[in-house]
Structures are given as structure tokens and as C-alpha cells.
Amino acid sequence: MKYQESHGGNIYGKNIRLDYSANLNPFHMPERVKKAIIDGIEEYYRYPDPDCKELILAIATAKGLLPEWIVCGNGAADLIYRYALSIKANKVLLLAPTFSEYEQAFRLAGTEICYYLLKEKHNFSVGEDILKEIPLVDGVVLCNPNNPVGNLIEPGLLQKIGKAIEEEGKFLFLDECFMEFTKYEKKYSSIPYIPMNKRIFVLKAFTKIYAMAGIRLGYGICSDMALLGKVKSAGAPWSVSGVAQKAGIAALKEIEYVKQAKEIIEEEREFLKKGLGKLGLFVYPSQANYIMFKAEEQLYEQLLGRGILIRQCGNYYGLGNEYYRVCIGKRRENQVLLEEIGFVIDKQEG
């Protein structure tokens, strides 16, 4: 069995000219963030604030939250593991397919994994039948929009899930790291339910929307103070660097950057979807900054040989090697990607 990358973005040791495997903002890190990092250079000899007080206050102000509801971590992945270790669940329900780190984190915590299998005939969407699974587990993990598909859970269904979670005394872990890329973020986000429902924990990241993957900065939101205390205690001391804290504070001021990026990514997502469709590939509906489609299993290796890295999804539970995910790039890069995929398809058919 051939080796497959666990995540996108591993360009190291490869001759890559276009990386379409990592779902980051194609407009790269904002200049304000770069400047904040450089301007703080004389302060990095100190230990960073272990409580991230200034950063948490900036997040709370920007998002309209209470500071005490927020915990910061060394990227979103750090908080996934800390949450899994803190909740100490016997059994958890995961979507399939979805982001692999949930399973790894909960298995590390000794939790049994159950799967809610998303059906291809329904475009891998979550249906109301998930409600009958909630009494059978201790909690549910949802990725919204889901990775690698890019689809959103309908707000009405998400409200029913939240209500069932609360009534049954379960927990709901909601990963919204890609929510900023969607057109109707306010409609689909569960952050407004945080004050009323202590069973919900929402995960957010600076990684994607601000293209800060190398900085490592994520945060979680929950109104259950006891649980937040456990999540904070589960992390290593000084898990959020001084660099990351300064970068995050600066990034939260980039309102226009996010607005413009979101508008262009929406346009380019449609451009890529149409282009892939014209090449005869089946494309799944997405409202995130990535697209999943089906093609020949050899597409990954053939594009890699031409210096283009895409995400093959065979190691997602519930998917095979014929499924691929690509991020949304700038127009010229997207044109090159389509041209290269077209070239490979013509070569296969020839």
C-alpha cells in the first residue's frame, strides 16, 4: 500500500511549484501581521504571557464574546487533543469522512470511536438521522463546513442537534475553522448559541483565513467554565508563543482583508468548479475554500510529477483514492491547475 500524506501542505523534499493541498487564504499573511511580528522582535527573549490575556481580550472584542469563554492554543490541532483529553468520553460519534485529527485525538484519550457515515448519494451531507445516534454516545464531533467536502450543516438541523445534546447531557465539539470562508457565516455559525448552551465547544483558527499556518494559533469558545479550565490545564506551559500572540492581535484588525478575500475566493471557487466539470470530473458542492472531486487514482502522482501537489483523500475514513481535494487559489494559478489536470486526463485517454 502506497504512503499517503495525513495532511495537506507537506511540500518539503518535493519539487513543488503549485501547492493545492493546503486550504489556506491564497492572499497570504496580511502585511499588518508581518509588521507586528517584526516590530515585536525585541520582546521575544521573554517568556510569552501564559494566559494570552491581551490576545483573548482582542478576540472577545472582535467576536462579541466574554473573555472568560475563550482558550487559546498552539493551532487548532493542539486544542482538539486537549479537549479530547479533558472530556474523558467513553464513546464519541464522528462524521465519515471528516478531518482525521479528531479520531487520533480521541483514540489517544482512550475513547471508542463510532461513525456517522455520510452518503455519497446525498453529497456527503449530514441528515436528520444523526439525531437518533446522540443517545448512544457521550458526544458528537462536527466539522462545519466539513473537511474535505466543504459542505455546511443546515442551521435548523444544527439547532436540533444542539438541543438534543443539551437534553441528553452530552457534548458537542464544533470545528468552525473554515467558517470565515463561507458566504453566510452568521447564518451557519454556532457561536451565538454558546451563552445558552454550555455543552457546545466551538473551535476556531487563525491558520486558514489569515494564512498563518506556520505561526500556529487557534482558539476555542465555550461557556462551561469547568470544562475550559480542564482544556487550559491539559496544554503545555507557554503553548502560545509571543510571536503568535502578536500576530493574532494584528490579524483581528484585518476586516477589509477578510472581506475581499472571501469575495474573491467565492468567485474562484465557482470558476474552479465549472472548470473541473468541463473536464468531465464530478465535483461535490462546497462553500469553503476547497473543493472535492472524483478522478482517476493516478492523478495525484501524475500532477506531482509536474510540480503540482493536491490532496488525495484515500486515507479519509469512508473515501477511496479516487477522491481528491484542492484548495482555491488565485485566478492565474487556478487556470494553470485546470490546464495541468486537462493535460493529464488527455494523456490518460490517449
Side-chain angles (χ1 to χ4, degrees):
M1 183 177 177
K2 68 176 183 177
Y3 169 78
Q4 279 195 5
E5 300 285 356
S6 299
H7 302 289
N10 189 359
I11 61 172
Y12 305 99
K14 307 179 182 75
N15 185 20
I16 302 299
R17 60 190 174 98
L18 280 180
D19 179 14
Y20 267 76
S21 69
N23 307 323
L24 304 175
N25 192 324
F27 297 96
H28 298 175
M29 191 185 297
E31 291 302 319
R32 189 198 306 257
V33 176
K34 295 178 186 177
K35 185 176 185 303
I37 293 170
I38 295 168
D39 289 349
I41 195 73
E42 296 299 331
E43 299 179 35
Y44 301 146
Y45 74 92
R46 299 189 184 101
Y47 284 105
D49 176 4
D51 299 316
C52 303
K53 288 186 286 292
E54 189 178 355
L55 172 60
I56 284 176
L57 182 60
I59 295 170
T61 302
K63 303 296 181 181
L65 301 166
L66 294 179
E68 53 264 37
W69 292 346
I70 300 168
V71 57
C72 292
N74 184 29
D78 174 37
L79 290 167
I80 294 170
Y81 282 82
R82 285 159 65 175
Y83 181 89
L85 291 168
S86 300
I87 208 77
K88 291 183 170 57
N90 292 315
K91 189 180 294 186
V92 67
L93 182 69
L94 304 183
L95 303 181
T98 198
F99 186 49
S100 63
E101 290 301 323
Y102 311 136
E103 178 173 347
Q104 293 183 39
F106 278 97
R107 285 198 187 281
L108 182 66
T111 303
E112 181 185 345
I113 306 298
C114 301
Y115 299 101
Y116 174 78
L117 295 175
L118 301 168
K119 298 177 177 61
E120 184 173 17
K121 65 180 180 180
H122 296 148
N123 290 324
F124 297 102
S125 296
V126 177
E128 295 233 355
D129 56 339
I130 196 173
L131 295 171
K132 65 185 181 184
E133 304 294 331
I134 293 173
L136 308 178
V137 295
D138 297 308
V140 179
V141 176
L142 300 175
C143 187
N144 195 35
N146 193 22
N147 177 8
V149 188
N151 51 7
L152 287 156
I153 302 170
E154 285 302 313
L157 175 56
L158 203 49
Q159 288 179 33
K160 290 180 182 179
I161 294 171
K163 184 179 179 182
I165 288 287
E166 189 173 27
E167 290 176 349
E168 295 279 346
K170 313 294 184 176
F171 70 82
L172 176 59
F173 184 93
L174 266 167
D175 184 341
E176 293 190 0
C177 288
F178 293 102
M179 186 62 75
E180 283 88 353
F181 292 102
T182 65
K183 187 175 182 180
Y184 305 108
E185 180 181 354
K186 290 183 179 179
K187 176 182 177 182
Y188 287 95
S189 175
S190 290
I191 291 178
Y193 302 111
I194 292 288
M196 295 87 74
N197 193 337
K198 290 185 176 182
R199 315 300 298 187
I200 299 175
F201 185 102
V202 174
L203 181 70
K204 304 290 285 185
F206 287 79
T207 303
K208 315 298 182 182
I209 192 64
Y210 299 110
M212 288 167 48
I215 299 293
R216 311 308 304 139
L217 182 59
Y219 63 99
I221 312 164
C222 181
S223 59
D224 184 337
M225 304 309 298
L227 175 58
L228 275 185
K230 292 178 183 177
V231 174
K232 289 176 183 177
S233 299
W238 308 292
S239 60
V240 182
S241 71
V243 176
Q245 292 184 42
K246 285 195 173 294
I249 292 165
L252 289 165
K253 300 173 184 175
E254 291 287 348
I255 308 300
E256 192 59 29
Y257 164 89
V258 171
K259 180 176 178 292
Q260 291 180 359
K262 184 182 293 192
E263 290 172 354
I264 295 173
I265 288 169
E266 185 178 351
E267 292 176 7
E268 293 306 310
R269 183 172 59 236
E270 294 307 309
F271 174 79
L272 265 183
K273 285 165 67 175
K274 289 178 182 177
L276 291 167
K278 287 179 182 178
L279 293 173
L281 303 175
F282 187 87
V283 183
Y284 296 89
S286 171
Q287 295 193 53
N289 63 323
Y290 49 88
I291 294 170
M292 191 174 80
F293 63 93
K294 288 179 79 170
E296 294 290 332
E297 290 188 20
Q298 296 76 24
L299 180 65
Y300 174 85
E301 288 82 3
Q302 291 172 331
L303 285 177
L304 187 61
R306 300 179 65 79
I308 297 177
L309 183 63
I310 65 174
R311 180 71 162 89
Q312 191 166 34
C313 297
N315 60 349
Y316 280 89
Y317 191 97
L319 296 180
N321 287 336
E322 71 274 21
Y323 294 90
Y324 296 92
R325 188 197 69 198
V326 293
C327 65
I328 311 298
K330 297 177 182 178
R331 176 58 58 96
R332 182 56 195 145
E333 295 167 341
N334 293 336
Q335 288 172 332
V336 171
L337 176 68
L338 292 172
E339 289 167 4
E340 292 289 352
I341 293 176
F343 175 85
V344 169
I345 290 174
D346 287 343
K347 191 176 179 181
Q348 289 172 343
E349 294 177 349

